[in-house]
Amino acid sequence: MDDELNRREDFPILSRTVYGKPLVYLDNGATTQKPLCVLDAMREEYLNVNANVHRGVHWMSQQATELHEQARETVRRFINARSTTEIVFTRGTTEGLNLVASSFSDAFLGEGDEVIVSVMEHHSNIVPWQLQAQKKGFRLRVIPMTDEGVLRLDEYERLFSPRTQIVSITHVSNVLGTVNPVQEMIRIAHEHGVPVVVDGAQSAPHFKIDVQQLDCDFFAFSGHKMYGPTGVGVLYGKENWLDRLPPYQGGGEMIENVSFEKTTFERPPLKFEAGTPDYIATHGLAVAIDYMTSIGLDRIELHEQELTRYALQQLSAIPGMTIYGPLDTHHPSPTTHHPAPNTHDAVISFNVGAIHHMDMGTLLDRLGIAVRTGHHCAQPLMNRLGVLGTVRASFALYNNKVDVDTLVAGIRRVQKMF
Ligand code: PLP
């Protein structure tokens, strides 16, 4: 059992205090802290090789371009894409999902068509589709879930019709922690000839992603949720889809030839990367990925699963506690590289008795414990659960059992105040 990775010294911010109390950072689903190696690499690039990428003949521009394109290769390896031409740099998951929704809708969606999403989507996998639906007249069909927070695959299969054009689903729920059976869902969609977008914001930070094994058509994730900098993310797209999609934004870098009469575009991925990319951040993301892989994705997964299991046990013992989502956790599978479907990943949402989630979050904060409260950008899911919001604790590789014990003691202390 590897329940202690002992990497806290790589993250100096973790030794700060808040209101005079040692910080217990349990808001990793929102964003993770950054290891020194990422901060150092970005500072070093600004200090020594800062120049705009792709368009310069001078030495520094070429160095910066090389780092930027090496980062693309690092991402390719990380998710096992076939080619770097399938790796589009974005600002984050939200931009990746907007890109697919917009370009796919422009090319393939019309009046009466249908797009399948699930009831547990983050707003960033609902609203971009709705914006396009208003323009094009297609509609969203929604996969329901059980009371345990597991998607109803029987209902999913029934949602397919001759008008279904695309499925867009989250890999791991940012509220329930549910690991959805995306591989199976992709197989079913492909049987209907329908492509699938996977929102990997909450999966890529926690276990090994293999886009070829998943056979997903698109996969979006954010750098800042996996120890990388803010403002950078990735959209993976199968080459045959990226080739067929129209550009998302226009500008420099994405063109082949421009005249006032007609513009021709670069091949993917540049076709989707208008303007100066955040090349310092792409380098930072690559260093974050190297950091994770040097520890080992399997070890990170094992550690976080151990912690999630421990936290679910300890939290369940608190009187009045309601935990949302499945209660089973998973063991990493070295053969499939995929956690068992419908188990609980490193995000735990809960409410305690009649205590308002905001009160709980505010009082925990006074004890130095950073958790998230509210609807977590998933209002349709809150409606399904019949709550206005929840308290959410989410783990990263640097959290440990002391953090969980402090959270549990904090909740018990808040309970006594009510
Ligand atoms: N999808 C899920 C499941 C998320 O948890 C989040 C962020 O919390 C997003 C999408 C949006 O990510 P970002 O804000 O980094 O674009």
Side-chain angles (χ1 to χ4, degrees):
M1 187 176 77
D2 182 7
D3 68 357
E4 191 60 87
L5 288 179
N6 276 326
R7 302 305 290 249
R8 292 176 81 87
E9 72 281 5
D10 297 341
F11 300 83
I13 198 170
L14 296 176
S15 50
R16 66 158 297 159
T17 55
V18 173
Y19 301 117
K21 304 282 191 318
L23 170 67
V24 175
Y25 187 75
L26 295 172
D27 194 17
N28 297 287
T31 200
T32 54
Q33 301 304 338
K34 320 303 170 199
L36 273 173
C37 58
V38 169
L39 304 177
D40 288 347
M42 293 173 71
R43 185 168 187 272
E44 171 64 21
E45 190 176 358
Y46 270 127
L47 280 174
N48 279 313
V49 279
N50 178 44
N52 207 333
V53 291
H54 291 149
R55 40 194 151 192
V57 291
H58 62 82
W59 185 86
M60 283 209 313
S61 174
Q62 288 181 11
Q63 293 293 307
T65 304
E66 204 172 305
L67 286 176
H68 182 63
E69 291 305 324
Q70 272 170 10
R72 211 186 292 279
E73 167 58 18
T74 303
V75 170
R76 185 204 65 73
R77 235 181 300 121
F78 182 62
I79 59 171
N80 193 30
R82 273 190 195 86
S83 158
T84 49
T85 56
E86 298 180 317
I87 305 297
V88 179
F89 283 123
T90 62
R91 284 192 300 118
T93 309
T94 303
E95 190 177 48
L97 295 172
N98 273 276
L99 190 164
V100 181
S102 167
S103 293
F104 192 90
S105 168
D106 280 349
F108 300 112
L109 294 178
E111 187 78 34
D113 281 337
E114 294 173 358
V115 171
I116 297 179
V117 296
S118 87
V119 66
M120 62 173 78
E121 297 310 317
H122 189 280
H123 294 163
S124 63
N125 198 23
I126 301 173
V127 185
W129 295 108
Q130 282 175 332
L131 289 172
Q132 298 303 325
Q134 282 161 14
K135 289 189 217 161
K136 292 294 201 85
F138 62 86
R139 67 174 180 139
L140 298 188
R141 311 285 320 266
V142 182
I143 313 164
M145 67 175 203
T146 65
D147 291 343
E148 286 70 43
V150 168
L151 290 181
R152 294 271 310 269
L153 283 207
D154 51 339
E155 294 287 339
Y156 169 61
E157 294 220 47
R158 273 198 276 279
L159 287 178
F160 284 90
S161 82
R163 301 311 304 265
T164 309
Q165 302 295 352
I166 194 163
V167 172
S168 196
I169 40 166
T170 191
H171 200 171
V172 173
S173 161
N174 67 311
V175 175
L176 305 165
T178 314
V179 182
N180 289 322
V182 287
Q183 195 165 350
E184 170 73 354
M185 295 172 81
I186 291 163
R187 192 188 57 71
I188 292 168
H190 286 175
E191 275 175 14
H192 292 268
V194 172
V196 180
V197 187
V198 176
D199 171 352
Q202 298 293 343
S203 60
H206 300 295
F207 50 83
K208 173 80 188 132
I209 301 297
D210 184 331
V211 289
Q212 292 191 61
Q213 193 174 42
L214 285 176
D215 201 22
C216 53
D217 300 278
F218 300 95
F219 188 96
F221 59 102
S222 300
H224 71 99
K225 293 185 195 289
M226 40 186 277
Y227 316 103
T230 51
V232 66
V234 173
L235 176 69
Y236 157 82
K238 277 186 186 162
E239 196 169 285
N240 66 334
W241 281 114
L242 291 184
D243 274 341
R244 287 150 70 201
L245 292 188
Y248 172 54
Q249 295 179 326
E253 309 258 354
M254 50 78 78
I255 54 86
E256 199 177 54
N257 198 30
V258 179
S259 73
F260 282 111
E261 287 69 42
K262 182 177 165 59
T263 292
T264 53
F265 304 111
E266 277 279 9
R267 304 268 337 267
L270 294 185
K271 180 168 87 175
F272 299 103
E273 295 180 352
T276 299
D278 194 340
Y279 52 87
I280 306 279
T282 56
H283 177 47
L285 172 60
V287 175
I289 288 174
D290 286 343
Y291 176 76
M292 288 173 77
T293 47
S294 73
I295 295 171
L297 266 293
D298 285 353
R299 280 185 71 207
I300 293 172
E301 184 185 357
L302 187 58
H303 168 73
E304 292 175 348
Q305 277 304 299
E306 199 48 50
L307 205 54
T308 306
R309 196 170 303 127
Y310 180 69
L312 286 170
Q313 274 165 9
Q314 299 300 309
L315 290 168
S316 301
I318 297 176
M321 171 64 70
T322 305
I323 295 175
Y324 305 96
L327 290 180
D328 287 345
T329 51
H330 55 80
H331 287 283
S333 161
T335 47
T336 64
H337 283 310
H338 287 297
N342 303 326
T343 52
H344 202 124
D345 209 53
V347 170
I348 304 180
S349 275
F350 60 88
N351 274 312
V352 186
I355 304 172
H356 195 279
H357 53 92
M358 292 291 219
D359 292 336
M360 178 61 82
T362 308
L363 291 166
L364 288 175
D365 179 46
R366 287 281 157 176
L367 301 172
I369 304 165
V371 289
R372 186 142 293 243
T373 59
H375 55 62
H376 315 293
C377 299
Q379 283 181 336
L381 176 57
M382 294 298 121
N383 291 339
R384 169 64 179 84
L385 295 172
V387 296
L388 288 175
T390 72
V391 185
R392 183 184 78 178
S394 48
F395 304 121
L397 65 87
Y398 40 70
N399 289 118
N400 57 28
K401 287 185 175 171
V402 176
D403 294 337
V404 174
D405 292 342
T406 312
L407 171 68
V408 169
I411 295 170
R412 288 183 186 277
R413 209 166 139 187
V414 172
Q415 247 182 339
K416 286 207 186 94
M417 296 178 195
F418 279 80

